[in-house]
Amino acid sequence: QVQLVESGGGLVQPGGSLRLSCQASVGIGNMNVMAWYRQTPEKGRELVARMTSARVRTYADSVKGRFTISKDNTKNTLSLQMNALKFEDTGVYYCKAERHIVQGPDGSVSRNDYWGQGTQVTVSA
């Protein structure tokens, strides 16, 4: 069982900051990728930021320079620090964990994805 619980969402003014947290029920050090996604009625669910087990960070162009993804393998938490928030940052933010699994004797690899329930972020003047 893998459970992810997001928290920290809320209402914030443009230019403000917010910090999201994701609490995992398992050791995220065993996950190959941790990521934050944002879902809106218009665009659906899109990648915001991700972090590999090698601690390589990747960001969507729209948030680059404003958002920072981080994790704490001891506390099994994933965080997203959001600064200089814009109206278009509004959406439901989801935490995702990926575990890569060796599938068979041929060494092929498959993925298991785990999702949280999301937390609402609203940027409004």
Side-chain angles (χ1 to χ4, degrees):
Q1 292 183 344
V2 178
Q3 294 182 350
L4 305 172
V5 180
E6 301 95 337
S7 63
L11 177 65
V12 64
Q13 296 184 22
S17 297
L18 211 58
R19 185 175 180 87
L20 306 183
S21 295
C22 171
Q23 181 68 60
S25 64
V26 298
I28 63 173
N30 296 323
M31 297 293 179
N32 299 93
V33 177
M34 299 293 295
W36 287 99
Y37 284 74
R38 178 172 64 213
Q39 183 166 313
T40 65
E42 299 173 346
K43 292 188 173 183
R45 193 171 298 187
E46 57 185 349
L47 178 68
V48 174
R50 67 178 179 181
M51 188 174 186
T52 71
S53 59
R55 302 188 184 276
V56 176
R57 295 173 170 89
T58 304
Y59 298 94
D61 289 340
S62 62
V63 308
K64 197 170 299 180
R66 299 187 297 117
F67 290 12
T68 302
I69 187 173
S70 61
K71 65 176 181 177
D72 188 332
N73 288 349
T74 300
K75 297 180 179 180
N76 294 320
T77 56
L78 180 75
S79 298
L80 184 67
Q81 179 65 47
M82 304 184 294
N83 298 326
L85 285 161
K86 304 175 180 179
F87 294 119
E88 47 266 44
D89 294 321
T90 294
V92 180
Y93 284 72
Y94 293 89
C95 174
K96 190 188 87 170
E98 295 179 13
R99 180 181 287 160
H100 301 167
I101 303 171
V102 178
Q103 190 75 336
D106 61 350
S108 61
V109 177
S110 63
R111 266 174 44 185
N112 282 347
D113 292 350
Y114 308 95
W115 294 88
Q117 296 302 305
T119 184
Q120 176 71 44
V121 172
T122 302
V123 183
S124 180

